[in-house]
Amino acid sequence: MTRIISIIIFGVLGLVLLAGGMQLLMLGGSPFYLVAGIVLTLTAVLIAMRRALALWLYGLFIIVSLGWAIFEVGFEWWQLAARGGLIIVLGLVLLLPGVRRRLGDPYADEPRPASAIPVAIPIVIALIVAGFSMTTDPADVSGSLPTEAVVAQPRYGGNVPNDEWHQYGRTPFGQRYSPLEQITPQNVSSLKVAWEYRTGDVKLPDDVGETTYQVTPLKVGNTVYLCTPHNWAIALDAATGKEKWKYDPNVGLNPDRQHQTCRGVTYYADPAAPAGGPCAARVYLPTSDARLIALDAATGSVCTSFADQGVLHLETGMPYNPAGYYYSTSPPVIARGKIIIGGAVNDNYSTREQSGVIRAFDVATGALVWNWDSGNPGETAPLPPGRTYTANSPNSWSVFSVDEQLGLVYVPLGNQVPDQLGMNRSDNVEKYSSSIVALDVDTGRDRWVRQTVRHDLWDMDVPAQPVLVDLTGKDGTAVPALVGPTKQGDIYVLDRRTGEPVIPVREIPAPGGAIEGDFAAPTQPISDLTLRPPRLRERDMWGITLIDQMVCRIKFHQLRYEGQYTPPSLEGTIVYPGNFGVFNWGSVAVDPARQVMFGMPTYLAFTSRLVPRDQIAPKGEDEKASEQGLNRNEGAPYGVYMGPFLSPLGIPCQAPPWGYVAGVDLRTGKTAYMHRNGTVYDMTPLPLPFKVGVPGIGGPMITKGGVAFLAAAVDDYLRAYDLTTGEQLWEARLPAGGQATPMSYALADGRQYVVIVAGGHGSVGTKPGDYVIAYALPKQ
């Protein structure tokens, strides 16, 4: 019976590899899979014929396969395992006595099983190689960041006490850096849960897929302020986590919202208001139904003196206003008495969408002070009644940074919808799309623009809050700089006064061949400080087995790919880095004293395939918004299918690592280390703690104590790292996905806390929840 089963296994797998291997070879791919199919099929035939030659043939195949695998990927364990795992398992099947017993000499006086040596020795050799490969990691870059402080008293931006966290990135500079130093690499392993709070805001059955908990809480005085995915605002006691107040704006559910989330609230203390008076301190809450609501920071009651009884209606002045297409997912910034806000416009829904206008309102009254519309940038005076902003102009859905001393607000801009179609874009769109723009805080006029993608056809929005830091040059002078992470992996280090590069930026050739009626830019910019991945090759295709690996190789050749910036196509295009980005809204963290950066680069290929309008079925009544799958692009000649480049088993077609932690010296522009980050513990049916290096979305935080904190990865952990080396020092299991950015604060007794929300992320499929968790060292 064992022999019959082995014949079936080898025969079926052999035929599958024969068919797929022939197709791959005809596409110009590796001949190995065809050879493997021939060998497995012949092995099945020889077993059926009861010939011991089956063992010799398969043993030779193991040796050849091992040589082929090392030739393709060297001694990289995860790649070798994918190529050799199934082959070794089949070899072990051949070693079973029930198989070998029927392959011995039938004419011997005492029939005995065929010798195991022809297969056993190659298996032992392969296992030795596998064991050696486990001791190496060719993907790892080891090194150390400088430890000495370049400046003794760095500028953090804003007047924020060291033990507080007043804005999304702690201060208007967005550094995600805490000057606290109680927690160090030596004691971080002793962190314990200090308090835990459940918001009660959970993902609902009728919510859209991308219902996510992305908030970075604030801490002012003895209160922690935060929001939830359905835009509840909550105040907690910073020492105990006990709820002080909760406000529910009743945003309802709308299947046309692509995102149901809130990244944070904005705190403001009015210097002219009597201390302790009503609304002397405020919390501004952005909502997913396009409102900005002013709340009393002490009580949570609505500040009716602001705008329309406490509510600013962000749809005012929009040329189109379909519900669910426009809202704010990120907290606004406040500077010089103005609250400045952008908005998220649904990607690839329609060409008739709201404007991406950036607006400044009087922080006390809500009166419009200026508006900067990237479709009409010259007119920044408040829009008069009866007029509308430019439809479908590039928008900014992420977080801004501010340098009040320079009087500039720094805005990361996205693209015009549809992202993958560049026909009929205006000159203004071509200038401002996918760029970082510096706007005058007082007038709204743009002072400079730095574009990161020419004629963007790949959804390469600038997604991250720019980080402001003063960098010390070789001559000892300080340069007010901006660090701008991008989806394509470039990190732009610019003089924030002018937008000119501090670290050089150059142009490189890019692939052409856009669809008829469109064009692709002949060159694209690249920063000399870049974490872009190398170009994908067929050998980079991955899979749990030879079968799905072969399928990924076939798909790799069937899709269009000439490297980064390959234009969208009707046959389908590989987009790598994918529109998930090397960096996304989590941005990076910067130590302004040591002038180093800590980040989480992610590498995940996507695909996009254009679909002619007449091939798109009408929208279903129960269809919910999503950035993955079919994007309809109503009003455009094409829709687009988008999503990660996955194998038939639902894992990435490209080989890991898919996620790292990285440390960069900003003074030299050199990457000191890159280490795999995260495990497949929550990605597989079995809780396997294999440190593959997984994707993530969220951001890091650095402390003066030399510790960096990061959750974000698609396994449910909060981790601490040595900022100098990137070595993981500590981890805590989270009750849900931690796709957010941690923050840190201290109380009057000097005890330092690290806080993270854990609520999951719909796009990456992590476990939803409603947790706010604070960690601290044990009390002495």
Side-chain angles (χ1 to χ4, degrees), residues 585-667:
W585 51 262
S587 193
V588 297
V590 170
D591 182 329
R594 293 167 60 178
Q595 300 185 7
V596 297
M597 183 203 94
F598 182 88
M600 183 195 65
T602 291
Y603 302 104
L604 194 63
F606 271 58
T607 64
S608 66
R609 179 170 63 86
L610 299 177
V611 187
R613 173 61 48 203
D614 58 8
Q615 297 179 21
I616 299 176
K619 182 179 178 181
E621 292 185 5
D622 60 344
E623 191 172 329
K624 295 180 182 178
S626 176
E627 289 185 292
Q628 298 183 24
L630 177 63
N631 286 226
R632 294 183 168 276
N633 292 340
E634 300 291 350
Y638 299 92
V640 60
Y641 275 102
M642 295 169 51
F645 184 23
L646 301 178
S647 80
L649 298 181
I651 62 174
C653 266
Q654 75 198 76
W658 305 304
Y660 291 84
V661 292
V664 174
D665 184 340
L666 291 172
R667 299 182 69 203

Side-chain angles (χ1 to χ4, degrees), residues 453-705:
V453 184
R454 314 286 186 222
H455 194 67
D456 185 358
L457 301 174
W458 306 273
D459 189 22
M460 290 295 153
D461 301 348
V462 179
Q465 180 185 26
V467 180
L468 310 185
V469 60
D470 294 344
L471 295 179
T472 303
K474 293 180 179 179
D475 59 359
T477 59
V479 176
L482 174 150
V483 179
T486 64
K487 284 186 176 181
Q488 56 269 35
D490 294 330
I491 298 172
Y492 286 83
V493 182
L494 310 173
D495 186 321
R496 65 178 182 266
R497 298 168 296 188
T498 63
E500 291 303 308
V502 174
I503 292 178
V505 175
R506 52 198 166 86
E507 295 283 326
I508 57 173
I515 61 170
E516 184 177 354
D518 204 347
F519 69 93
T523 65
Q524 292 287 353
I526 184 172
S527 171
D528 278 1
L529 173 50
T530 185
L531 293 173
R532 291 188 187 192
R535 177 172 172 166
L536 288 174
R537 304 160 299 175
E538 182 196 320
R539 67 181 61 181
D540 296 318
M541 298 300 102
W542 199 65
I544 298 297
T545 70
L546 279 182
I547 305 299
D548 55 315
Q549 184 183 108
M550 177 183 67
V551 172
C552 283
R553 289 185 182 232
I554 291 170
K555 291 168 67 175
F556 176 79
H557 285 287
Q558 289 174 332
L559 293 165
R560 185 178 175 196
Y561 182 66
E562 290 103 48
Q564 192 171 4
Y565 301 118
T566 302
S569 61
L570 294 170
E571 67 267 30
T573 291
I574 294 175
V575 181
Y576 185 63
N579 56 321
F580 209 60
V582 176
F583 296 101
N584 209 292
W585 51 262
S587 193
V588 297
V590 170
D591 182 329
R594 293 167 60 178
Q595 300 185 7
V596 297
M597 183 203 94
F598 182 88
M600 183 195 65
T602 291
Y603 302 104
L604 194 63
F606 271 58
T607 64
S608 66
R609 179 170 63 86
L610 299 177
V611 187
R613 173 61 48 203
D614 58 8
Q615 297 179 21
I616 299 176
K619 182 179 178 181
E621 292 185 5
D622 60 344
E623 191 172 329
K624 295 180 182 178
S626 176
E627 289 185 292
Q628 298 183 24
L630 177 63
N631 286 226
R632 294 183 168 276
N633 292 340
E634 300 291 350
Y638 299 92
V640 60
Y641 275 102
M642 295 169 51
F645 184 23
L646 301 178
S647 80
L649 298 181
I651 62 174
C653 266
Q654 75 198 76
W658 305 304
Y660 291 84
V661 292
V664 174
D665 184 340
L666 291 172
R667 299 182 69 203
T668 65
K670 303 299 182 184
T671 300
Y673 58 79
M674 287 185 68
H675 305 310
R676 295 174 190 262
N677 183 54
T679 70
V680 294
Y681 193 93
D682 295 296
M683 293 178 68
T684 58
L686 297 176
L688 303 173
F690 298 147
K691 193 171 184 178
V692 174
V694 298
I697 189 164
M701 181 263 293
I702 291 174
T703 67
K704 186 178 181 180

Side-chain angles (χ1 to χ4, degrees), residues 233-548:
I234 299 174
L236 306 175
D237 183 279
T240 65
K242 183 179 179 181
E243 182 181 304
K244 290 187 172 183
W245 56 257
K246 180 189 292 184
Y247 172 80
D248 181 359
N250 297 306
V251 298
L253 301 179
N254 188 322
D256 282 337
R257 292 176 193 153
Q258 280 182 331
H259 309 273
Q260 185 68 58
T261 193
C262 183
R263 295 191 184 94
V265 295
T266 303
Y267 176 86
Y268 175 71
D270 186 350
C279 293
R282 300 181 180 186
V283 169
Y284 290 89
L285 173 69
T287 70
S288 55
D289 58 356
R291 291 180 288 163
L292 181 65
I293 303 173
L295 304 173
D296 188 317
T299 65
S301 58
V302 176
C303 298
T304 56
S305 61
F306 178 74
D308 179 13
Q309 294 299 303
V311 178
L312 192 62
H313 298 279
L314 299 176
E315 73 275 14
T316 302
M318 294 297 175
Y320 306 108
N321 191 31
Y325 279 41
Y326 179 84
Y327 38 87
S328 181
T329 59
S330 297
V333 296
I334 294 174
R336 297 187 179 181
K338 304 171 189 67
I339 186 163
I340 306 169
I341 190 168
V345 177
N346 277 355
D347 269 344
N348 301 338
Y349 254 46
S350 170
T351 58
R352 296 166 62 90
E353 298 214 16
Q354 289 95 331
S355 174
V357 62
I358 312 300
R359 287 172 285 189
F361 300 91
D362 185 287
V363 71
T365 67
L368 181 62
V369 178
W370 55 254
N371 34 238
W372 183 81
D373 178 358
S374 59
N376 183 24
E379 297 183 21
T380 61
L383 190 73
R387 286 188 55 190
T388 59
Y389 300 113
T390 306
N392 197 21
S393 52
N395 66 301
S396 183
W397 51 266
S398 191
V399 186
F400 309 159
S401 300
V402 176
D403 186 331
E404 284 205 66
Q405 183 175 315
L406 292 177
L408 294 176
V409 56
Y410 302 94
V411 178
L413 273 179
N415 200 1
Q416 175 180 293
V417 174
D419 289 304
Q420 288 74 25
L421 300 174
M423 299 86 85
N424 304 316
R425 291 180 181 171
S426 70
D427 290 342
N428 285 328
V429 170
E430 295 288 12
K431 177 181 178 179
Y432 293 105
S433 179
S434 304
S435 66
I436 301 170
V437 177
L439 302 181
D440 188 295
V441 169
D442 294 321
T443 67
R445 292 191 173 273
D446 58 88
R447 295 264 202 94
W448 57 258
V449 55
R450 171 63 58 174
Q451 190 170 59
T452 68
V453 184
R454 314 286 186 222
H455 194 67
D456 185 358
L457 301 174
W458 306 273
D459 189 22
M460 290 295 153
D461 301 348
V462 179
Q465 180 185 26
V467 180
L468 310 185
V469 60
D470 294 344
L471 295 179
T472 303
K474 293 180 179 179
D475 59 359
T477 59
V479 176
L482 174 150
V483 179
T486 64
K487 284 186 176 181
Q488 56 269 35
D490 294 330
I491 298 172
Y492 286 83
V493 182
L494 310 173
D495 186 321
R496 65 178 182 266
R497 298 168 296 188
T498 63
E500 291 303 308
V502 174
I503 292 178
V505 175
R506 52 198 166 86
E507 295 283 326
I508 57 173
I515 61 170
E516 184 177 354
D518 204 347
F519 69 93
T523 65
Q524 292 287 353
I526 184 172
S527 171
D528 278 1
L529 173 50
T530 185
L531 293 173
R532 291 188 187 192
R535 177 172 172 166
L536 288 174
R537 304 160 299 175
E538 182 196 320
R539 67 181 61 181
D540 296 318
M541 298 300 102
W542 199 65
I544 298 297
T545 70
L546 279 182
I547 305 299
D548 55 315

Side-chain angles (χ1 to χ4, degrees), residues 168-179:
Y168 178 80
R170 201 184 86 85
T171 75
F173 279 15
Q175 293 167 346
R176 274 162 285 280
Y177 173 83
S178 170

